Amino acid sequence: MIASPRPFSAALLLFGWSLLGPGGLSPTLHAQPAAAPVIRVNAASAKPGSPLLYGIMTEEINYSYEGGLYAELIINRSFQHSAQNPDYWSLVKDAAAAGTITLDRSEHLNVALPVSLRIDNTSVLPGPVPDAGAVPAPRQRVGVANAGYWGIPIKPSTTYRASFFAKAGNGFAGSVLLSLESNDGATVFARAQVAGVSGNWNKYEAVLTTSANVQPTAGARFVLLTNSPGTLWLSQVSLFPPTWNNRPNGLRPDLMRLLADLEPKFLRFPGGNYVEGNSPETRFDFKKTVGPVHERPGHRNGAWGYFSEDGMGLLEFLTWCEDLRMEPVVAVFAGLFLNSNVIPAGPQLEPYVQDALDEIEYITGDVGTKWGAQRAKDGHPAPFKLTYVEIGNEDSLNGGTRTYDARFTQFYRAIKAKHPAIKLIATIENVTSVTPDLIDDHQYYNSGQITARQAATRYDTADRNGPRIIFGEYATRGATPPTSDLGNALGDAAFLTGLERNADHVTMSTYAPLFLNVNPGASNWPTDLIGYDALSSFGSVSYYAQKMFSTHYGDTVLATVIENTPTERLTAERGGSAQPAVVPSLFASATRDTAKGLIYLKVVNGLGTPQPGNIELAGVDIAANGEAVVLTSANLTDANSIAEPTKVVPKTEPATGLGRRFTRTFPARSVTVLILKTN
Ligand code: AHR
C-alpha cells in the first residue's frame, strides 16, 4: 500500500546531467505550497542512447527450459532424474496383461546415457495383437506413460514428433504403440505405431497428429506400449510439438512470440547461478551441452535443484539469439561455486580458462578450428558474432570477493591475448589488476517500490570515467506471486527511466528471472517476467512495462528534468525490510528516434491519484497530435495470470493538444509513453 502524497511544500527534484551541479541529485524542500510538476525536455541537450540498452537474461530456474522454453514435452526423457526409480514414468497395461518397468544400468545406449528403461511384457496371451487403428482390440499391451511437465499440452490439428531409442530382447517381436491420451486413458487424441524394433540400439521416429475438433487440454499423457511378450529397452524418449521457425530440438512458439515482442537486443546466458552450481559436475559445462542430444549426459542443476537434460545447450542458446537477432552475452564459470568452494587463480583454474577459450572458439571459430569444426558438425558452419563474455556471476557472494581480482585477471589475460576485441565483463567492482570493459550490476528491489524508486536516480551522478555498466539483473519484488504485479511494474518503470537517462553509462540492462512455470512446485524464485503452464503463457505487468520501454526507444537521449517533483511516504508493507521513506512519485525520461522523427517521453506516476503535469520541450517543434500508450489498473496488486493473461496491459490512445508546452494528467498508478511527432 502506498501512503497518500505528503501535502507539504513543493519538492524540487532535478533529473539530468545538464542541470545538475557537482553536489548531485537530492530532493530540496521549500516552504511553499505545492506547485504542479513541470517536466522539461531539452532536445538541444542530447547524447547518444545505447542500442543495446534492453536485453533479456536467462538461466535454468523455475523450469525455464525444462518444461518451459525448450519445447520437449517428456519429463525425465533419459531416465536420470533419480538413480532408483523411473520418476515421472508409470506402468500402463491392459487388464489381462502382465509386465513390469525398471531402470536398467546393464543395458544403455551410450556412455552419456548410462541407464535405460526396461519394459518386460510377461503377458501369456498368444501372439501379437495388431493395433487396429480406431477400434483396437488390445489384450496384452504393457508399457509406460509420461505425464509431461505438469501435463502434455494437446491442441487441435497439431503434429507432434515422437522419437525414442530402443532395443528388443527376450523374443519381443511386436510393435511399439504410441499415443497421446487423457490421463485416465479413456480418450485417445492421436496415435502412431512403430514396428520392427531390432535387437540393437536404434532410433525410431513417428508422427502423431490431433484432429481439428480436439479441445485444448493439458490433462493428457504420452503412452508407449509394447503389444507382445518380450523385453523392450528404451533410451531418450522425446516428443516435440511444433517449434519456433520449425527448428528441430527447438523452442516453444508462444514464449518466443512474447520474447520477440520485447525486441530484445541481447541475451545474457546461461546464468545467473546456473553457471556456477556447487561442483564441477553441477555447473554449466558447455562441452556436455553440444553434439547430438542423445550424446549429452545432462547434469544436476546445482543452483536450482533439478535435472537439466541439456537439450537446451550452447548451440540452442546461440540459435535462439540468431532467431531473435540478439547479441549473445555469454557467462563462463570463473571458479566460484555456490557452496563457497573456490578454485583459486593459478594452475587449478587453468582448465576452466581453457574451457572459456574453447567455448569462444565454438561460438566464433572458423570450421578449421577444433571447436568451430564441432559447431559445423552440430549443424551451424557459420560462426556467430560474439562481443561480450562475462567472467563468472555475482562473485561477491559466498566469499568470492577476495579471490576475484586474480581469477578475473587470469581469464582476462588469456582471452584478450587471443580475442582482443571481445569485451570482458566483471561481476564485481573490485578488479584492480586489469580494467574490465564493463561491470555487471545486479539489484533486486525487494521492498515494494521504495528501493526501486531510490535507485531511479543512482546513476545520475555516477563517475563516467570507470567501466560501463551492464545491469544484468533487476526486478522489483515483494509482489503477489508468482509474476510481477502493477506495483512491481511501477518500481521497474521508475528505475528504467533512470537507466534511459544514463544510457551513456549503463549501456545494457535486463530483468531477471525471465521465466516461471506457474505450476506448484516449479518455482525457485518469485517474482518473474513471463509465466506459463503446459498449454498457455502470459506476460506479467512488468513484462508490459518493459515492452513499452524497449519498443519506444530512440537513438538519442534528451535531457529530462522534473521540477516540483511530487513525493510520497512509502512503507515496506509490500515485502522486504526497507525503512519507510519519502521518495519521489513522478519519474521521466525522453529519447528521440531521429529516423522516425519521434520523441518518446516516458512518465511514471507512482501516486494512487491522478497527477497533472506541465510538459515543456525546448529545441524542437512538436505536432499537435500524437499518441499515448498507458499502462495502469485499479490496484497495485493487479496482475496477469493464466486465467487473466491480459488483465493489465497497455492501451494506446490518441493524444491531442500537444506542442512545445502542454499539460497532461497522468493516471493514478500509471506508466505512460507519449509519442510526440516532431515537425
Ligand atoms: O535471478 C535469480 C538469481 O539471482 C540469479 O541466478 C543470480 O545471479 C541472482 O542472485
Side-chain angles (χ1 to χ4, degrees), residues 57-62 268 270-276 303-304 338 393-394 397 440 442-444 472-475 477 511-514 524-525 527-528:
M57 181 270 167
T58 174
E59 64 178 313
E60 182 58 90
I61 184 174
N62 302 324
R268 176 175 174 253
N273 293 147
Y274 185 56
V275 173
E276 301 157 298
W304 305 112
L338 296 170
N393 176 68
E394 293 186 350
L397 295 180
D440 183 4
H442 294 180
Q443 206 59 242
Y444 290 96
E473 297 180 23
Y474 73 85
R477 302 181 69 203
Y511 185 102
L514 179 64
N524 299 109
W525 183 286
T527 312
D528 307 284

Side-chain angles (χ1 to χ4, degrees), residues 443-453 455 473-480 483-496 511-512 525-528 542 574:
Q443 206 59 242
Y444 290 96
Y445 303 115
N446 61 356
S447 49
Q449 297 175 50
I450 296 177
T451 51
R453 292 199 199 179
E473 297 180 23
Y474 73 85
T476 306
R477 302 181 69 203
T480 316
T483 58
S484 114
D485 62 13
L486 178 64
N488 298 129
L490 292 172
D492 292 339
F495 174 65
L496 286 179
Y511 185 102
W525 183 286
T527 312
D528 307 284
S542 283
R574 278 169 50 80

Side-chain angles (χ1 to χ4, degrees), residues 2-7 567-569 607-609:
I2 289 181
S4 31
R6 266 184 128 194
T567 61
E568 64 182 329
R569 186 173 188 278
L607 292 176
T609 52

Side-chain angles (χ1 to χ4, degrees), residues 619-636:
V620 67
D621 278 332
I622 301 295
N625 296 321
E627 282 186 323
V629 186
V630 182
L631 179 70
T632 186
S633 191
N635 306 296
L636 289 173

